[in-house]
Amino acid sequence: MRHAGKLITFEGPDGAGKTTQIQLTAQVLEESGYSVVRTREPGGTRLSEAIRQLLLDPCYKEMSGVTEALLYAGARAQLVSEVLLPALAAGNVVLCDRFVDSSLAYQGYGRGLDLEMLRVINTFALHKLGTFCTVLLDLPPEEGLGRSAGVAERDRLEQENLSFHRRVRDGYLILARDYPGRIKVVNASADPRLVQEQIQEYVMAYLTGRDQGGAFE
Ligand code: TMP
């Protein structure tokens, strides 16, 4: 199925400034005449937001890695069918705060779950999504955790130890190395204005067809 619209996903650790950067990107695109839809993962639909509550509540300490991976994939499948496919078919530019690379980075590299199995369940969840482009806001985990909420307010994933977050970061960088056509790395430690400039360069290259992006594989 061919889509008129385009999907751009934003990845990186908590505290990398994704929300602010996505908001700025949306503003710039709207001013240039693009019709923009913003969404997030896990979440973005009534059902996916309910799954988000389960996933992030620190009270579910017993949640197994496999359960976690399947819940993320379930929330994703609902977002794809209910929001992403219709928005792309209608010609929108969709900006998504986190997507499937989060599962490879957190559940794969962070938790140590089988990467091939994660690819299989997520290929199923993505349905016929096609190509997209990913902006990875790269930041050392120490910096990201320092910028985000205090320990008491951290969600179940944020409460993981530093070595978990280091594996997540390294995982993201491995993915960026393996899929250079789709994943573009931006240094999120830089001044936020420079970060935004770099993002706009990548985003415009993709929207104008200079960059092709890639499919999830
Ligand atoms: P957020 O706070 O950026 O919205 O993301 C929620 C948390 O969920 C964050 O710590 C990253 C984590 N996460 C995964 O572990 N796997 C996934 O597939 C996604 C989408 C998020």
Side-chain angles (χ1 to χ4, degrees), residues 26-171:
Q27 260 171 27
V28 169
L29 291 179
E30 276 163 356
E31 281 162 18
S32 308
Y34 288 95
S35 163
V36 178
V37 170
R38 282 179 53 184
T39 188
R40 71 166 179 181
E41 270 224 276
T45 74
R46 192 168 70 102
L47 196 50
S48 311
E49 290 289 337
I51 298 173
R52 178 188 176 91
Q53 304 282 324
L54 293 175
L55 278 163
L56 300 187
D57 192 331
C59 85
Y60 295 118
K61 298 208 186 312
E62 72 275 32
M63 191 182 297
S64 80
V66 174
T67 304
E68 184 179 285
L70 290 169
L71 286 175
Y72 277 114
R76 182 162 300 130
Q78 189 65 29
L79 181 76
V80 169
S81 65
E82 193 179 323
V83 175
L84 300 188
L85 291 174
L88 293 169
N92 295 286
V93 174
V94 182
L95 305 181
C96 191
D97 187 340
R98 294 194 182 280
F99 196 52
V100 65
D101 297 298
S102 281
S103 279
L104 296 181
Y106 284 79
Q107 282 65 56
Y109 292 96
R111 296 259 187 252
L113 294 188
D114 185 306
L115 287 164
E116 280 321 303
M117 201 57 93
L118 289 169
R119 286 196 166 91
V120 170
I121 59 171
N122 279 288
T123 299
F124 191 36
L126 259 54
H127 197 50
K128 293 178 181 148
L129 187 67
T131 59
F132 58 103
C133 167
T134 300
V135 174
L136 169 57
L137 295 178
D138 177 51
L139 193 73
E142 297 83 343
E143 236 180 280
L145 292 172
R147 285 190 199 173
S148 62
V151 180
E153 302 127 54
R154 284 184 185 158
D155 66 39
R156 201 175 53 83
L157 276 287
E158 287 170 331
Q159 285 183 5
E160 286 293 331
N161 61 28
L162 193 55
S163 58
F164 172 86
H165 290 286
R166 289 205 175 112
R167 291 195 298 279
V168 170
R169 191 224 188 164
D170 293 346

Side-chain angles (χ1 to χ4, degrees), residues 9 11 99-101 104 130-135 175-176 179-184 211-217:
T9 68
E11 295 281 356
F99 196 52
V100 65
D101 297 298
L104 296 181
T131 59
F132 58 103
C133 167
T134 300
V135 174
L175 293 170
Y179 303 101
R182 176 171 67 80
I183 305 179
K184 309 294 177 187
D211 247 353
Q212 299 301 306
F216 174 67
E217 53 184 327

